[in-house]
Amino acid sequence: MRPTESPDELLVVAAILGNLEAFEELVVRYRPAVVRLARTIVGVDYAEDVAQDSLLLAFKALPGIEEPGKFGAWLSAITRHRAVRFSKSETTNMTRRVALDEALIEKIEALARPIAEKERDEAMIVALDSLPADYAMPLRLRFLDEMPLERIAAF
């Protein structure tokens, strides 16, 4: 969280009390993560639809949130549920997963050498595309979307 940002908990409470700008700020913070999570489950073609559906559902369900401080995790659960429900079968997703250590060992050389920024971004995208979606998503959020680690962890 940046020093000038309000904590998620305050924004959630404000949104519950009717402050639409507070919910909009939460959407701005978490939308990239929601889209990426949806993309890992349903693919690129339907990720935006699932993300939109998840955010709308979260807005409607916001008064029922039990722990406003855990908004990121709550939104992540909603997104995952909506995406899995939307996808054809959960079994298809399970067959694409491999051990994280195995995937990182294969890509360690590409991750370790310094390169120019544009070349770095292109190389990073190629490397991330080769990882299973579940492992690539937090790395994309951190290095491509520059999301703070605390927010990624919460999500």
Side-chain angles (χ1 to χ4, degrees), residues 97-109 111 131-132 135 139:
R97 295 185 179 163
V98 297
L100 177 59
D101 291 341
E102 199 175 298
L104 286 177
I105 287 171
E106 290 176 14
K107 306 299 175 201
I108 196 74
E109 185 179 325
L111 296 172
L131 290 174
Y135 302 124
L139 296 170

Side-chain angles (χ1 to χ4, degrees), residues 73-106:
W74 180 76
L75 181 58
S76 176
I78 289 172
T79 303
R80 189 172 298 278
H81 173 75
R82 298 308 286 177
V84 168
R85 192 166 177 214
F86 187 88
S87 69
K88 293 179 182 174
S89 71
E90 200 167 350
T91 307
T92 304
N93 294 322
M94 296 301 287
T95 59
R96 292 185 289 187
R97 295 185 179 163
V98 297
L100 177 59
D101 291 341
E102 199 175 298
L104 286 177
I105 287 171
E106 290 176 14

Side-chain angles (χ1 to χ4, degrees), residues 24-82:
E24 183 178 347
E25 177 62 29
L26 290 167
V27 169
V28 167
R29 287 182 186 182
Y30 287 101
R31 189 174 185 290
V34 168
V35 171
R36 287 204 190 277
L37 176 57
R39 190 179 301 149
T40 66
I41 299 171
V42 300
V44 175
D45 294 336
Y46 302 106
E48 290 288 339
D49 293 337
V50 170
Q52 196 72 5
D53 188 41
S54 298
L55 291 166
L56 180 60
L57 182 61
F59 179 73
K60 290 178 181 178
L62 202 57
I65 191 172
E66 293 180 16
E67 297 183 54
K70 294 185 178 179
F71 176 79
W74 180 76
L75 181 58
S76 176
I78 289 172
T79 303
R80 189 172 298 278
H81 173 75
R82 298 308 286 177

Side-chain angles (χ1 to χ4, degrees), residues 98-129:
V98 297
L100 177 59
D101 291 341
E102 199 175 298
L104 286 177
I105 287 171
E106 290 176 14
K107 306 299 175 201
I108 196 74
E109 185 179 325
L111 296 172
R113 78 182 139 89
I115 49 181
E117 189 171 328
K118 181 175 174 31
E119 183 183 330
R120 178 196 61 128
D121 289 347
E122 291 170 4
M124 187 179 308
I125 290 169
V126 169
L128 290 172
D129 285 345

